[in-house]
Amino acid sequence: MSVINSIFSSIWNFIKRISKNKAGFVGFIGLIIYFIVTFIMPSFVDFDDEPKLDEITGPIGSRIVLAVHVDDVDTYKTMEDLEGKTVGVVSQTGGPIFIEPYEDTVNVETFRWNSRRDGPGIQAGLIALANREIDAMLIFSKSVTEYIDNQEDPELRQLFEDNIAISNPTLGPPHLLGTDTQGRDIATHIVHGGRLLILTAVLGGVISTMIALVFGSLSALFGGVLDNVLTALTNLILAIPRFPLLVVLAGLISFDNTLFLGVLIGLLGWPALMRAIRAQVLSLRERDFVEAAQSLGLSTTHIMLREILPNMISFVAINLIFSITFAMYEQIGLVVLGLAPISDYTWGVMLYFGRTRGTLFNADGASMALAPVLAIALFQVCLVLFARALEEVFDPRLRSAV
Amino acid sequence: MVSQTPDVVAATGQANMLDRLYDSVLNIYRNHTFRVIIQAIITVWAVVTFTFFLVRLMPGNPIDVLIEQILVQEGISYQEAYDRVAASFDFDPDATALDQYFDWFGDVLRLDLGTSITSPGTRVVDEIARYLPWTLFAVGSGLLISFVLGIVLGMTMAYYRNSPLDHILSLFASFMTGVPNYIWGLLIIIILGIQLNWFNVGALRGTYDVNTTPGFNLPFIVSVLEHALLPIITYVVSTLGGWMLNMKSSTMSVLNDDYVNVAEARGLKDSRIITAYVGRNASLPLFTQLTISIGFVLGSGVVIEEIFVYWGLGHYLFASITTRDYTSMQGVFVILVITVVFANLIADLTYGFLDPRVRVSGQK
């Protein structure tokens, strides 16, 4: 019990300390929200993988509507009102999925999306509705208005305008972030697209931090030839622009595994941090308590693990966060260029498709690219704000040591 | 004093001479300029060697892949296919790997980087010469603007620390550094380009309007600036925050230094203290970061140029990777690294010039 208590009290203390720094607190809360959304919510929200032709690039908040004949606007408002009536849906759209639970109570008339004889499914359905052959129709809001507005045949246009009205514009669940180029709900993609991306970034960040920690402390503690060799290696790798190197490697080895990419990014990402850690260990080594430990004849391993490491653990933690942001930067950069695996649907892949399918340039579909852009941007900002706050919260002695 | 035997005298004399020689060698090495140049040369050598191994000797390397490809497509003998690939990569197919390595090294020194695989007859170095200036122009002006702006804003933040202005600028700076630069690029396209319609992003492909004639005339210069504007804004926005925050903390530490107090006590004008005393000293640490930043920004140009369809070296690198044009890829990578190393060299030398302490002690 006391262990649990002490853990809770230390967490509480940490929250109290970080809440004094406003920006840091915002970052901290943001990271918790990100954790909930990307790691817990996927268990409750299904990944929308159903292409829907009438919802292609739907704007934010768009949903399915109930289209009825003008005379029935006040009669049919909900699915319950339609009990025993005939409801038209167009295949390969959101309609059939929405109507599934009601199949026992209403008669469903399905129009084929691309039926040659009747013309496009929407047209066939709307004509049937205008002639009162069916009682209502489930259509995606944008499609029906767009279809009527863009109707070139004046007769048909007149028919639709005179006879068709939308009785309930809020029937289906809203697409909080709109739909992508295949009519799939973007919000569910955002929920599902973060986990692998964040895990890969953390993997990369942890690997580079570990390498930096080992090389940096070895270099500082043993000095001499080892120090010279490691420092030279560090300077060398630091001088090579990392991103083009990754791009070239991606051109030679095709990355087909996202986690492998994370490992590779981690293996290349340590030099800058190694320098900083080396400087840290060098300065800590001169402290009295380390000298005392040395005069007691304690082993180098003991001094490193028991005396030096605990004193720079916060420094390492902060830099781990920055390493994670860099790993994420590189990973997403490669994905945006299409050089990393795009089989796992992550925020980066959403960006890639948003760019290659041109939704960037489509005002309606902007959220396909904008949603992952903001998800990534805010996550990175939260990490940076949190790391900056940690710098202030943690032992101030460390800052003077830097 | 005990007299020494001639032997001992000779020995100590020799040791002294050796010591002095060692010291003078060490002094040369400690010389900032010399060390920086040596490091640059070693880096270039290592990268050129690394590229050689990557392209020739790694399992599944491009040369094997290409030979395989030609064999499958054209059904000619292995030797013919090998010779053809060797001609593209400009190496002697009969030489040993070591000779090929020295050959390759000499080629790089003479800037002879072979011919393109996808468009035979095009020399890679000519293509690079066509694309590189645009990258240097965009990245260079972006970094310059953000560096100068960052120094000014950072000093402002330090002088007005803990004021609302400082808090707002700090928040902005955190945002600017936190968000990756290609995300800034995409945001600029989506918001400024599409939603607000300030720029016709679709029309701003390439580096200048093809209807203008390159040269020193107004329409050409305007179109060049127009095409480079969005990439430059992206470089500025994504790097500015870092300069601001660094300059702020650097200025704050300088403000407490004795020489600033003395300068104030001497009754010097504020403007002179700010520029010559505080500004010059506070901006020094930023120059070391400039060297890291140059490589980073040039490297990230691959994505930025691709997003804005700005035809610089990054765009060329990406194009050569997607078309599997390995000779171009190899050439661009080597030139890109050399450019970064060279830019770092200039920044390092400038740093030594600005901070005499570095030149004298050889240590930061």
Side-chain angles (χ1 to χ4, degrees):
Chain A
M1 268 318 277
S2 67
V3 177
I4 296 173
N5 263 339
S6 71
I7 290 176
F8 268 114
S9 72
S10 61
I11 290 177
W12 180 241
N13 271 335
F14 174 74
I15 293 176
K16 268 204 306 204
R17 279 160 84 184
I18 199 135
S19 62
K20 282 185 190 137
N21 181 321
K22 271 185 220 147
F25 192 62
V26 170
F28 180 62
I29 297 291
L31 288 180
I32 292 179
I33 294 173
Y34 265 97
F35 179 78
I36 293 172
V37 169
T38 55
F39 283 83
I40 297 176
M41 269 174 69
S43 321
F44 304 105
V45 181
D46 287 330
F47 182 86
D48 183 7
D49 205 12
E50 196 78 41
K52 291 180 272 309
L53 289 167
D54 59 347
E55 294 181 23
I56 284 175
T57 61
I60 290 170
S62 50
R63 55 209 316 187
I64 290 176
V65 301
L66 190 65
V68 294
H69 195 271
V70 210
D71 302 345
D72 298 330
V73 169
D74 298 321
T75 337
Y76 305 133
K77 285 281 188 194
T78 60
M79 288 307 290
E80 279 69 37
D81 298 337
L82 284 162
E83 219 175 295
K85 309 286 180 198
T86 315
V87 178
V89 292
V90 183
S91 67
Q92 298 173 51
T93 68
I97 309 161
F98 179 76
I99 208 163
E100 246 171 49
Y102 304 98
E103 265 175 348
D104 299 333
T105 53
V106 297
N107 303 319
V108 180
E109 174 102 31
T110 309
F111 297 90
R112 276 173 58 205
W113 173 265
N114 209 354
S115 142
R116 265 161 210 253
R117 194 160 48 89
D118 307 324
I122 289 183
Q123 183 178 329
L126 289 177
I127 292 173
L129 182 62
N131 297 331
R132 308 208 69 163
E133 285 162 25
I134 54 173
D135 297 304
M137 210 171 143
L138 288 172
I139 303 185
F140 184 65
S141 56
K142 208 185 91 192
S143 311
V144 64
T145 45
E146 240 181 26
Y147 190 79
I148 296 175
D149 287 346
N150 298 341
Q151 186 54 251
E152 280 170 11
D153 184 344
E155 258 176 61
L156 270 184
R157 194 186 168 122
Q158 201 57 45
L159 180 74
F160 293 153
E161 279 177 353
D162 290 349
N163 291 301
I164 287 168
I166 288 170
S167 71
N168 187 349
T170 57
L171 198 60
H175 297 294
L176 288 177
L177 299 172
T179 53
D180 68 3
T181 47
Q182 289 174 292
R184 304 179 302 174
D185 185 65
I186 291 173
T188 67
H189 295 177
I190 289 287
V191 167
H192 282 264
R195 190 166 43 177
L196 187 64
L197 197 79
I198 293 173
L199 280 179
T200 313
V202 170
L203 181 71
V206 167
I207 290 176
S208 25
T209 309
M210 290 306 286
I211 297 176
L213 189 60
V214 171
F215 281 12
S217 30
L218 283 181
S219 193
L221 284 181
F222 292 103
V225 181
L226 185 72
D227 184 25
N228 285 338
V229 170
L230 284 178
T231 311
L233 185 68
T234 307
N235 287 341
L236 184 69
I237 300 181
L238 209 56
I240 302 173
R242 229 193 312 169
F243 194 71
L245 178 63
L246 276 170
V247 167
V248 167
L249 285 178
L252 294 176
I253 322 160
S254 48
F255 300 135
D256 41 16
N257 184 335
T258 307
L259 288 177
F260 170 70
L261 178 65
V263 172
L264 188 77
I265 288 172
L267 289 178
L268 291 173
W270 52 271
L273 183 53
M274 182 273 189
R275 269 207 214 173
I277 285 179
R278 180 174 166 273
Q280 272 284 323
V281 177
L282 278 179
S283 98
L284 282 170
R285 215 180 55 168
E286 304 299 318
R287 299 290 185 78
D288 292 340
F289 60 88
V290 177
E291 276 175 20
Q294 274 169 338
S295 58
L296 280 174
L298 294 171
S299 69
T300 315
T301 329
H302 177 95
I303 291 174
M304 183 59 214
L305 293 181
R306 289 294 178 81
E307 309 290 341
I308 293 181
L309 194 58
N311 276 292
M312 56 175 210
I313 201 78
S314 55
F315 178 79
V316 174
I318 291 159
N319 279 289
L320 172 65
I321 297 179
F322 284 118
S323 294
I324 291 173
T325 63
F326 276 118
M328 198 160 179
Y329 170 86
E330 278 160 8
Q331 180 198 354
I332 299 174
L334 285 178
V335 177
V336 168
L337 288 179
L339 295 170
I342 51 170
S343 50
D344 308 303
Y345 212 79
T346 63
W347 296 337
V349 179
M350 291 173 75
L351 258 185
Y352 169 74
F353 282 128
R355 208 173 72 78
T356 50
R357 291 180 185 166
T359 59
L360 275 186
F361 305 102
N362 175 350
D364 268 346
S367 89
M368 183 178 174
L370 201 56
V373 157
L374 290 180
I376 295 162
L378 291 180
F379 183 70
Q380 297 258 22
V381 168
C382 284
L383 277 178
V384 169
L385 289 179
F386 183 61
R388 291 254 159 77
L390 280 188
E391 268 170 357
E392 284 182 25
V393 167
F394 275 130
D395 200 344
R397 273 180 308 170
L398 261 165
R399 271 179 294 153
S400 57
V402 179
Chain B
M1 213 147 166
V2 185
S3 63
Q4 290 169 325
T5 57
D7 267 15
V8 175
V9 172
T12 40
Q14 223 168 20
N16 275 340
M17 235 172 75
L18 269 178
D19 267 1
R20 249 180 287 148
L21 189 71
Y22 182 69
D23 274 356
S24 59
V25 168
L26 210 65
N27 268 337
I28 293 175
Y29 182 70
R30 282 215 183 113
N31 178 295
H32 181 71
T33 314
F34 178 78
R35 205 182 46 200
V36 161
I37 291 174
I38 286 289
Q39 269 174 4
I41 293 173
I42 291 176
T43 308
V44 169
W45 165 78
V47 169
V48 170
T49 309
F50 171 74
T51 316
F52 176 80
F53 278 92
L54 205 63
V55 174
R56 308 284 163 89
L57 303 175
M58 198 181 64
N61 66 55
I63 292 190
D64 291 349
V65 171
L66 273 177
I67 292 172
E68 197 69 24
Q69 204 177 316
I70 293 176
L71 282 179
V72 171
Q73 279 170 3
E74 306 184 17
I76 49 177
S77 78
Y78 182 85
Q79 196 55 44
E80 270 178 80
Y82 185 72
D83 287 348
R84 180 115 63 91
V85 173
S88 289
F89 276 89
D90 197 20
F91 67 85
D92 181 4
D94 301 323
T96 61
L98 195 68
D99 282 342
Q100 285 181 13
Y101 168 68
F102 285 118
D103 235 28
W104 157 238
F105 206 88
D107 282 349
V108 173
L109 287 183
R110 277 179 276 116
L111 284 178
D112 178 6
L113 298 164
T115 54
S116 163
I117 290 175
T118 43
S119 44
T122 319
R123 287 174 64 220
V124 172
V125 67
D126 293 341
E127 291 291 288
I128 292 174
R130 231 178 65 196
Y131 288 108
L132 182 62
W134 298 110
T135 298
L136 291 182
F137 167 62
V139 170
S141 38
L143 266 178
L144 195 71
I145 293 171
S146 81
F147 193 70
V148 173
L149 252 167
I151 282 178
V152 172
L153 288 175
M155 279 181 76
T156 317
M157 280 160 78
Y159 268 94
Y160 296 96
R161 60 186 165 280
N162 292 328
S163 70
L165 180 74
D166 172 34
H167 290 304
I168 292 170
L169 286 179
S170 292
L171 197 68
F172 266 112
S174 286
F175 252 89
M176 285 191 275
T177 40
V179 179
N181 50 12
Y182 47 79
I183 296 286
W184 277 121
L186 290 170
L187 275 173
I188 286 172
I189 290 185
I190 295 174
I191 294 172
L192 298 189
I194 308 302
Q195 305 292 345
L196 297 177
N197 222 344
W198 287 359
F199 299 94
N200 185 1
V201 189
L204 291 175
R205 301 169 69 87
T207 45
Y208 58 88
D209 194 347
V210 283
N211 295 326
T212 59
T213 39
F216 194 76
N217 54 61
L218 194 63
F220 175 71
I221 293 171
V222 167
S223 90
V224 163
L225 291 178
E226 211 173 39
H227 282 74
L229 184 63
L230 291 181
I232 290 178
I233 291 178
T234 309
Y235 294 133
V236 170
V237 170
S238 57
T239 49
L240 179 59
W243 303 131
M244 282 165 66
L245 293 175
N246 284 327
M247 187 62 191
K248 181 193 168 187
S249 64
S250 176
T251 308
M252 274 162 64
S253 70
V254 167
L255 278 178
N256 295 327
D257 277 346
D258 290 341
Y259 58 81
V260 177
N261 293 333
V262 171
E264 277 166 5
R266 275 166 62 202
L268 291 179
K269 268 189 292 181
D270 273 357
S271 59
R272 175 145 175 80
I273 297 177
I274 289 174
T275 50
Y277 286 74
V278 179
R280 180 168 171 184
N281 285 294
S283 59
L284 281 177
L286 269 75
F287 273 89
T288 39
Q289 279 151 7
L290 189 63
T291 59
I292 296 173
S293 206
I294 290 171
F296 181 75
V297 175
L298 261 178
S300 66
V302 182
V303 199
I304 305 290
E305 286 175 5
E306 206 44 45
I307 285 174
F308 288 107
V309 204
Y310 186 75
W311 291 344
L313 201 63
H315 172 82
Y316 183 51
L317 177 64
F318 180 67
S320 63
I321 284 171
T322 45
T323 55
R324 308 225 162 273
D325 189 345
Y326 295 114
T327 42
S328 304
M329 190 181 83
Q330 159 193 292
V332 177
F333 181 63
V334 168
I335 293 297
L336 200 61
V337 173
I338 291 177
T339 312
V340 170
V341 171
F342 195 68
N344 282 350
L345 186 67
I346 293 175
D348 267 343
L349 293 179
T350 322
Y351 182 55
F353 174 73
L354 288 173
D355 189 354
R357 284 169 296 188
V358 173
R359 266 176 299 167
V360 175
S361 72
Q363 253 138 20
K364 274 178 241 161

